[in-house]
């Protein structure tokens, strides 16, 4: 499964970038009935429905040619939203000062989830100011991270 997700990322990221967008995150959820392939795209001026349709058409054409997914699947293209995923170091660096929700791959000191203010994002990891103090987390240990929208802040 992870192999196919990586292959899809390598195949579709150049398509999305050639259209002038950033592929923020690719999620693939296989299923016996119909798999789900979801792409989150972004651009400096934001994303409109027309942008999503444009990327969807080009990605669908590429998938038709390459045919990497056996069986049926549903393709969704979306903006990252207010609770945008943070995947690459440059995403974290862009949002220093914002509140984030982080989930680790394995528990650290009995904890997998952290909510805090992103104080620093370097080459290897991030520093969060949580209610319990400053926490340093390596990118390699992060399973997923998202911005906390203002309406959902603690």
């Amino acid at each position: 499964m992870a192999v196919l997700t990586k292959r899809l990322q390598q195949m579709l990221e150049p398509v999305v970038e050639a259209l002038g967008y950033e592929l923020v995150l690719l999620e693939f959820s296989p299923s016996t009935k119909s798999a789900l392939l979801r792409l989150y795209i972004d651009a400096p001026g934001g994303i409109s429905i027309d942008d999503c349709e444009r990327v969807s058409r080009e990605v669908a054409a590429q998938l038709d040619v390459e045919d990497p997914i056996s069986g049926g699947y549903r393709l969704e293209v979306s903006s990252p939203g207010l609770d945008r995923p943070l995947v690459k170091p440059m995403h974290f660096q862009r949002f220093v000062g914002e509140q984030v929700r982080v989930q680790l791959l394995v528990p650290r000191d009995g904890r997998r989830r952290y909510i805090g203010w992103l104080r620093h994002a370097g080459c290897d990891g991030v520093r969060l100011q949580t209610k319990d103090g400053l926490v340093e987390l390596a990118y390699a240990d992060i399973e997923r991270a998202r911005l906390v929208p203002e309406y959902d802040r603690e």
Side-chain angles (χ1 to χ4, degrees):
M1 180 168 56
V3 173
L4 180 53
T5 301
K6 187 172 184 172
R7 180 173 172 220
L8 289 167
Q9 176 88 25
Q10 290 171 339
M11 176 191 319
L12 299 177
E13 191 165 30
V15 173
V16 173
E17 287 178 353
L19 294 170
Y21 304 100
E22 175 193 4
L23 179 58
V24 174
L25 178 65
L26 179 146
E27 296 176 336
F28 179 67
S29 302
S31 173
T32 53
K33 286 186 174 185
S34 180
L36 173 63
L37 175 60
R38 182 178 293 130
L39 307 178
Y40 294 95
I41 62 169
D42 202 5
I47 296 298
S48 69
I49 291 174
D50 292 337
D51 296 320
C52 292
E53 289 175 355
R54 181 175 179 220
V55 170
S56 181
R57 277 192 304 275
E58 292 299 319
V59 164
Q62 184 71 29
L63 291 169
D64 287 346
V65 170
E66 298 284 334
D67 199 24
I69 303 171
S70 61
Y73 66 91
R74 191 172 71 242
L75 172 63
E76 293 181 6
V77 178
S78 174
S79 74
L82 295 176
D83 64 339
R84 74 174 289 135
L86 304 175
V87 182
K88 303 170 186 172
M90 69 181 209
H91 296 156
F92 288 91
Q93 291 162 0
R94 179 175 166 197
F95 291 101
V96 167
E98 296 291 329
Q99 192 175 35
V100 297
R101 180 176 285 120
V102 177
Q103 182 171 317
L104 301 179
L105 291 164
V106 295
R108 179 173 160 188
D109 299 326
R111 225 177 134 171
R112 284 187 65 202
R113 292 181 178 90
Y114 292 86
I115 295 178
W117 297 94
L118 186 56
R119 295 298 180 219
H120 174 77
C123 296
D124 298 323
V126 299
R127 217 172 329 183
L128 295 182
Q129 181 67 52
T130 71
K131 64 181 178 181
D132 300 322
L134 203 57
V135 178
E136 293 196 26
L137 305 170
Y139 293 125
D141 296 336
I142 297 174
E143 180 177 18
R144 71 178 59 112
R146 288 187 172 271
L147 287 180
V148 175
E150 283 190 42
Y151 62 82
D152 197 24
R153 291 198 175 157
E154 293 184 349

